[in-house]
Amino acid sequence: MRRLLTGLLGALVLAGCSTGTSAVDVNNGGEFRFVAGTPAGEVLPPGERAGAPQFSGTLLGGGEFSSAELDGDVAVLNFWGSWCPPCRVETPQFQEVYADVRDRGVAFLGLNVKETSEQFATAFVASEGIEFPSLYDPRGEVALAFRDYPANAIPSTIVLDRQGRVAAVYTGEVAQEDLRAVLDMLLAEEG
């Protein structure tokens, strides 16, 4: 009976993560649970945007990073893990978008959370040819700083406007066309 329950739980977990519209909650004492995603995301009008929390950490491969480095740019913050199937789909697509917009005042930052080994995260980034930096945040401390948005589900993506305010929130896998549309909108804004 115990094996049957364990097998069913495992199947449910895998089914929830593989749909692309679900995400795993990492803000519940280290246990993972799947929550419904918001595939189209939520884009906030300028008057409803709040400032993003400040954060810092260590980059994969070494070096320190501070959120102050994002000041003045539109910024894409993607919370991911190499163990997350939707992350494996969207991360190479993020690289494509990044290659197209990095010279237009758009910064990308990956935030690797709940990873059992930095080696797994580094291998994933290398295998996918990801050129934008990622923080190594195995305890999810930066995700906790963004818990109001909610970055406590993996994958999650938060897009900041040039003033460092949260302009869009995606829980679950982000479609490339949705990300491009919000970036175009933010780049067109005065400021």
Side-chain angles (χ1 to χ4, degrees):
M1 182 67 166
R2 179 178 243 163
R3 282 190 214 184
L4 177 64
L5 288 175
T6 302
L8 285 173
L9 180 60
L12 286 172
V13 166
L14 289 174
C17 196
S18 65
T19 66
T21 59
S22 295
V24 61
D25 183 350
V26 297
N27 189 24
N28 59 354
E31 298 295 319
F32 297 111
R33 70 179 171 84
F34 292 90
V35 295
T38 52
E42 179 181 2
V43 179
L44 303 170
E48 295 180 21
R49 296 177 190 164
Q54 297 295 307
F55 62 91
S56 61
T58 303
L59 295 168
L60 284 175
E64 294 300 310
F65 182 88
S66 167
S67 58
E69 294 179 44
L70 303 172
D71 290 352
D73 286 335
V74 171
V76 177
L77 309 177
N78 177 246
F79 296 82
W80 66 277
S82 67
W83 44 265
C84 164
C87 300
R88 293 184 199 137
V89 172
E90 76 178 359
T91 301
Q93 294 178 20
F94 278 20
Q95 175 58 39
E96 287 179 33
V97 175
Y98 171 70
D100 291 343
V101 300
R102 64 180 159 205
D103 295 330
R104 294 176 52 202
V106 179
F108 274 59
L109 178 67
L111 294 115
N112 175 258
V113 296
K114 293 294 184 178
E115 197 74 58
T116 58
S117 165
E118 185 175 359
Q119 192 173 22
F120 293 141
T122 303
F124 175 76
V125 166
S127 72
E128 297 297 336
I130 305 305
E131 297 173 310
F132 55 86
S134 278
L135 285 182
Y136 180 58
D137 187 26
R139 296 188 320 196
E141 292 169 346
V142 176
L144 286 175
F146 282 91
R147 67 184 158 267
D148 294 335
Y149 291 106
N152 59 339
I154 304 302
S156 287
T157 301
I158 295 174
V159 183
L160 308 179
D161 65 15
R162 287 187 183 112
Q163 289 78 40
R165 301 175 302 176
V166 175
V169 178
Y170 299 89
T171 304
E173 184 181 327
V174 179
Q176 190 175 136
E177 58 272 10
D178 291 339
L179 182 58
R180 287 181 186 277
V182 79
L183 292 176
D184 288 342
M185 179 196 77
L186 293 172
L187 288 169
E189 287 181 357
E190 303 261 340

